[in-house]
Amino acid sequence: MEPIRREDSDDLFAAVVSQDSVMRWLATGRADSRSAAEAMCDGHVAHWTRHGYGDFAVRDAATHAFLGRVGLRNRAQYRVDLGFALHQRAQGRGVAGEAGRACLDLAFRRLSLPVVFAFVLPDNMASIAVLRRLGAQADGTVQSSGRHCLRYRFDPAAMAAAEHVVDDAGADLQLVHAPGPGSADDRSALRDGLPDPFGVNGLGLVWADNQNTLTAVSEGRPVASAGWLLRDMAFDGLPRRAAGLGGVLVHPSYRAGASPGR
Protein backbone atom coordinates (compact mmCIF):
# COMPACT_ATOMS: atom_id res chain seq x y z
CA MET A 1 0.00 0.00 0.00
CA GLU A 2 1.29 3.43 -0.96
CA PRO A 3 -0.42 6.80 -1.52
CA ILE A 4 -1.99 7.02 -4.97
CA ARG A 5 -0.01 9.14 -7.43
CA ARG A 6 -0.98 10.81 -10.70
CA GLU A 7 1.14 8.15 -12.44
CA ASP A 8 -1.25 5.44 -11.19
CA SER A 9 -4.11 6.61 -13.42
CA ASP A 10 -3.54 3.98 -16.13
CA ASP A 11 -3.47 1.20 -13.54
CA LEU A 12 -6.55 2.63 -11.81
CA PHE A 13 -8.38 2.75 -15.14
CA ALA A 14 -7.48 -0.83 -16.04
CA ALA A 15 -8.24 -2.38 -12.64
CA VAL A 16 -11.18 -0.28 -11.42
CA VAL A 17 -12.61 2.49 -13.59
CA SER A 18 -13.02 0.38 -16.75
CA GLN A 19 -14.61 -2.52 -14.85
CA ASP A 20 -18.41 -2.60 -14.69
CA SER A 21 -18.19 -5.34 -12.03
CA VAL A 22 -16.34 -2.90 -9.72
CA MET A 23 -17.88 0.44 -10.68
CA ARG A 24 -21.46 -0.79 -10.28
CA TRP A 25 -20.97 -0.47 -6.52
CA LEU A 26 -19.43 3.03 -6.60
CA ALA A 27 -20.82 6.54 -7.08
CA THR A 28 -21.27 6.51 -10.86
CA GLY A 29 -22.65 2.98 -10.97
CA ARG A 30 -20.94 2.18 -14.29
CA ALA A 31 -17.55 1.95 -15.97
CA ASP A 32 -15.98 5.26 -16.98
CA SER A 33 -13.23 6.72 -19.15
CA ARG A 34 -9.47 7.03 -18.89
CA SER A 35 -9.86 10.77 -18.33
CA ALA A 36 -12.15 10.01 -15.38
CA ALA A 37 -9.40 7.83 -13.88
CA GLU A 38 -6.94 10.72 -14.29
CA ALA A 39 -9.37 13.08 -12.53
CA MET A 40 -9.80 10.57 -9.70
CA CYS A 41 -6.03 10.33 -9.23
CA ASP A 42 -5.76 14.12 -9.19
CA GLY A 43 -8.45 14.20 -6.51
CA HIS A 44 -6.67 11.57 -4.43
CA VAL A 45 -3.36 13.47 -4.64
CA ALA A 46 -5.09 16.72 -3.61
CA HIS A 47 -6.75 14.95 -0.68
CA TRP A 48 -3.38 13.67 0.58
CA THR A 49 -1.94 17.18 0.31
CA ARG A 50 -4.87 18.73 2.17
CA HIS A 51 -5.37 16.14 4.96
CA GLY A 52 -2.19 14.09 5.21
CA TYR A 53 -4.04 10.84 4.52
CA GLY A 54 -6.26 9.46 1.77
CA ASP A 55 -6.50 6.58 -0.69
CA PHE A 56 -3.75 4.03 -1.18
CA ALA A 57 -2.81 2.13 -4.29
CA VAL A 58 -2.93 -1.55 -3.31
CA ARG A 59 -0.45 -3.82 -5.07
CA ASP A 60 0.29 -7.53 -4.90
CA ALA A 61 3.29 -7.97 -2.62
CA ALA A 62 4.81 -10.66 -4.87
CA THR A 63 4.09 -9.37 -8.38
CA HIS A 64 3.53 -5.64 -7.68
CA ALA A 65 0.40 -5.87 -9.85
CA PHE A 66 -2.10 -3.07 -9.17
CA LEU A 67 -5.16 -4.51 -7.39
CA GLY A 68 -7.21 -1.38 -6.67
CA ARG A 69 -7.54 1.37 -4.11
CA VAL A 70 -8.40 1.46 -0.41
CA GLY A 71 -8.35 4.49 1.84
CA LEU A 72 -9.82 7.15 4.07
CA ARG A 73 -11.78 10.10 2.69
CA ASN A 74 -12.61 13.28 4.57
CA ARG A 75 -15.94 14.60 3.33
CA ALA A 76 -17.42 17.48 5.29
CA GLN A 77 -20.99 16.16 5.24
CA TYR A 78 -19.98 12.61 6.26
CA ARG A 79 -16.75 13.14 8.24
CA VAL A 80 -14.14 10.43 7.53
CA ASP A 81 -15.16 7.23 5.77
CA LEU A 82 -13.40 4.06 4.67
CA GLY A 83 -13.78 3.04 1.03
CA PHE A 84 -12.34 0.39 -1.24
CA ALA A 85 -12.53 -0.66 -4.88
CA LEU A 86 -10.64 -3.77 -5.95
CA HIS A 87 -10.32 -5.69 -9.20
CA GLN A 88 -11.93 -9.13 -9.29
CA ARG A 89 -8.51 -10.81 -9.16
CA ALA A 90 -8.08 -9.39 -5.64
CA GLN A 91 -11.48 -10.46 -4.39
CA GLY A 92 -11.84 -13.50 -2.16
CA ARG A 93 -8.20 -13.30 -1.04
CA GLY A 94 -8.66 -11.18 2.08
CA VAL A 95 -7.04 -8.14 0.43
CA ALA A 96 -9.87 -5.73 1.24
CA GLY A 97 -9.88 -6.83 4.87
CA GLU A 98 -6.10 -6.59 5.26
CA ALA A 99 -5.92 -3.16 3.61
CA GLY A 100 -9.03 -1.93 5.42
CA ARG A 101 -7.59 -2.91 8.80
CA ALA A 102 -4.38 -1.04 7.96
CA CYS A 103 -6.47 2.06 7.20
CA LEU A 104 -8.38 1.74 10.47
CA ASP A 105 -5.09 1.35 12.32
CA LEU A 106 -3.95 4.59 10.67
CA ALA A 107 -7.22 6.31 11.57
CA PHE A 108 -7.32 5.38 15.25
CA ARG A 109 -3.74 4.80 16.34
CA ARG A 110 -1.89 7.44 14.34
CA LEU A 111 -4.52 10.06 13.49
CA SER A 112 -6.56 9.58 16.70
CA LEU A 113 -9.84 9.98 14.84
CA PRO A 114 -12.89 9.45 17.08
CA VAL A 115 -14.94 7.55 14.50
CA VAL A 116 -14.80 6.28 10.92
CA PHE A 117 -17.84 5.52 8.76
CA ALA A 118 -18.39 3.37 5.68
CA PHE A 119 -21.17 3.55 3.09
CA VAL A 120 -22.27 0.57 1.05
CA LEU A 121 -25.14 -0.26 -1.29
CA PRO A 122 -27.67 -2.64 0.33
CA ASP A 123 -27.07 -5.39 -2.25
CA ASN A 124 -23.28 -5.35 -1.94
CA MET A 125 -23.08 -8.41 0.30
CA ALA A 126 -19.35 -8.98 -0.23
CA SER A 127 -18.44 -5.51 1.00
CA ILE A 128 -20.90 -5.72 3.90
CA ALA A 129 -19.21 -8.96 4.98
CA VAL A 130 -15.80 -7.25 4.88
CA LEU A 131 -17.06 -4.35 7.00
CA ARG A 132 -18.53 -6.71 9.56
CA ARG A 133 -15.31 -8.70 9.79
CA LEU A 134 -13.47 -5.44 10.44
CA GLY A 135 -15.80 -4.72 13.37
CA ALA A 136 -18.27 -2.27 11.79
CA GLN A 137 -21.67 -1.73 13.38
CA ALA A 138 -24.78 -0.89 11.35
CA ASP A 139 -25.64 2.80 11.79
CA GLY A 140 -28.71 3.57 9.70
CA THR A 141 -28.93 4.78 6.12
CA VAL A 142 -27.79 7.85 4.21
CA GLN A 143 -27.69 9.35 0.72
CA SER A 144 -24.06 9.19 -0.40
CA SER A 145 -23.07 10.48 -3.85
CA GLY A 146 -26.76 10.53 -4.73
CA ARG A 147 -27.33 6.85 -3.94
CA HIS A 148 -29.21 5.24 -1.06
CA CYS A 149 -26.60 3.52 1.13
CA LEU A 150 -26.32 1.62 4.37
CA ARG A 151 -24.06 3.37 6.84
CA TYR A 152 -21.62 1.47 9.04
CA ARG A 153 -19.63 2.86 11.94
CA PHE A 154 -16.19 2.03 13.36
CA ASP A 155 -14.87 3.31 16.66
CA PRO A 156 -11.54 2.62 18.38
CA ALA A 157 -13.04 -0.29 20.32
CA ALA A 158 -13.76 -2.02 17.00
CA MET A 159 -10.04 -2.46 16.49
CA ALA A 160 -10.10 -4.95 19.36
CA ALA A 161 -12.91 -6.96 17.74
CA ALA A 162 -11.96 -10.54 17.07
CA GLU A 163 -12.90 -12.45 13.91
CA HIS A 164 -12.92 -16.22 13.63
CA VAL A 165 -13.79 -18.17 10.48
CA VAL A 166 -15.71 -21.35 11.23
CA ASP A 167 -15.74 -24.41 8.96
CA ASP A 168 -19.48 -25.02 8.68
CA ALA A 169 -19.69 -27.47 5.79
CA GLY A 170 -19.02 -24.77 3.25
CA ALA A 171 -21.49 -22.27 4.71
CA ASP A 172 -18.80 -19.53 4.86
CA LEU A 173 -19.72 -18.58 8.40
CA GLN A 174 -17.86 -15.82 10.25
CA LEU A 175 -18.06 -15.05 13.95
CA VAL A 176 -17.70 -11.34 14.64
CA HIS A 177 -17.08 -10.04 18.15
CA ALA A 178 -18.20 -6.55 19.17
CA PRO A 179 -18.11 -4.82 22.55
CA GLY A 180 -21.51 -3.89 23.96
CA PRO A 181 -25.02 -5.17 23.19
CA GLY A 182 -24.43 -5.39 19.43
CA SER A 183 -26.38 -3.90 16.55
CA ALA A 184 -30.08 -3.12 16.89
CA ASP A 185 -30.47 -3.87 13.17
CA ASP A 186 -28.94 -7.33 13.67
CA ARG A 187 -31.27 -8.07 16.59
CA SER A 188 -34.28 -6.99 14.55
CA ALA A 189 -33.23 -9.21 11.63
CA LEU A 190 -32.76 -12.21 13.92
CA ARG A 191 -36.11 -11.71 15.66
CA ASP A 192 -37.73 -12.04 12.21
CA GLY A 193 -40.86 -10.22 13.39
CA LEU A 194 -41.26 -12.07 16.70
CA PRO A 195 -42.11 -9.61 19.51
CA ASP A 196 -40.82 -12.01 22.20
CA PRO A 197 -38.38 -14.54 20.70
CA PHE A 198 -37.26 -15.68 24.18
CA GLY A 199 -40.74 -16.42 25.51
CA VAL A 200 -40.22 -14.54 28.78
CA ASN A 201 -42.81 -11.75 28.53
CA GLY A 202 -44.75 -11.43 31.77
CA LEU A 203 -42.08 -13.07 33.94
CA GLY A 204 -40.89 -9.77 35.38
CA LEU A 205 -37.27 -10.26 34.34
CA VAL A 206 -34.90 -7.30 34.32
CA TRP A 207 -32.54 -7.34 31.35
CA ALA A 208 -28.94 -6.11 31.51
CA ASP A 209 -27.12 -5.03 28.35
CA ASN A 210 -24.51 -7.47 27.13
CA GLN A 211 -20.94 -6.36 27.60
CA ASN A 212 -19.90 -8.38 24.56
CA THR A 213 -21.76 -9.81 21.59
CA LEU A 214 -20.74 -12.54 19.16
CA THR A 215 -22.63 -12.55 15.86
CA ALA A 216 -22.55 -15.33 13.27
CA VAL A 217 -22.63 -13.88 9.75
CA SER A 218 -23.24 -15.75 6.51
CA GLU A 219 -23.10 -14.01 3.12
CA GLY A 220 -23.14 -10.63 4.85
CA ARG A 221 -26.29 -11.31 6.89
CA PRO A 222 -26.59 -12.14 10.62
CA VAL A 223 -27.83 -15.68 11.26
CA ALA A 224 -27.28 -16.00 15.03
CA SER A 225 -25.93 -14.08 18.00
CA ALA A 226 -25.14 -14.52 21.67
CA GLY A 227 -24.07 -12.12 24.39
CA TRP A 228 -22.28 -12.30 27.69
CA LEU A 229 -21.37 -10.15 30.65
CA LEU A 230 -19.14 -10.44 33.71
CA ARG A 231 -20.13 -9.76 37.30
CA ASP A 232 -18.18 -9.75 40.56
CA MET A 233 -20.11 -11.88 43.05
CA ALA A 234 -19.58 -13.78 46.30
CA PHE A 235 -19.93 -17.55 46.73
CA ASP A 236 -19.55 -19.13 50.17
CA GLY A 237 -18.18 -15.85 51.41
CA LEU A 238 -15.44 -15.72 48.77
CA PRO A 239 -15.25 -13.23 45.88
CA ARG A 240 -15.74 -14.76 42.47
CA ARG A 241 -16.15 -13.42 38.95
CA ALA A 242 -19.10 -14.97 37.12
CA ALA A 243 -19.94 -14.91 33.44
CA GLY A 244 -23.52 -14.75 32.26
CA LEU A 245 -24.59 -15.91 28.79
CA GLY A 246 -27.83 -14.60 27.34
CA GLY A 247 -29.66 -13.08 24.44
CA VAL A 248 -29.07 -16.14 22.26
CA LEU A 249 -30.88 -15.66 18.96
CA VAL A 250 -30.90 -17.85 15.86
CA HIS A 251 -32.70 -16.86 12.68
CA PRO A 252 -35.61 -19.28 12.02
CA SER A 253 -34.12 -20.47 8.73
CA TYR A 254 -30.95 -21.61 10.53
CA ARG A 255 -32.55 -23.52 13.39
CA ALA A 256 -32.24 -27.31 13.60
CA GLY A 257 -34.45 -28.99 11.04
CA ALA A 258 -35.18 -25.76 9.19
CA SER A 259 -33.86 -27.08 5.90
CA PRO A 260 -31.80 -30.02 4.58
CA GLY A 261 -28.11 -29.74 5.34
CA ARG A 262 -28.51 -27.28 8.22
Side-chain angles (χ1 to χ4, degrees), residues 97-119:
E98 183 179 349
R101 188 164 294 280
C103 289
L104 292 172
D105 184 76
L106 169 66
F108 295 132
R109 297 189 182 182
R110 293 178 55 188
L111 301 175
S112 298
L113 298 178
V115 64
V116 172
F117 294 96
F119 306 99

Side-chain angles (χ1 to χ4, degrees), residues 71-84:
L72 301 168
R73 296 168 295 175
N74 189 316
R75 298 185 290 172
Q77 67 271 45
Y78 303 120
R79 293 190 276 181
V80 178
D81 62 274
L82 172 69
F84 45 83

Side-chain angles (χ1 to χ4, degrees), residues 7 10 17 27 32 44 76 80 85 93 105 109 111 115 126 131-132 174 219 221 245 247:
E7 293 81 1
D10 285 343
V17 179
D32 213 326
H44 293 317
V80 178
R93 297 168 49 190
D105 184 76
R109 297 189 182 182
L111 301 175
V115 64
L131 296 176
R132 287 182 177 277
Q174 287 85 38
E219 298 180 350
R221 298 183 184 277
L245 175 69

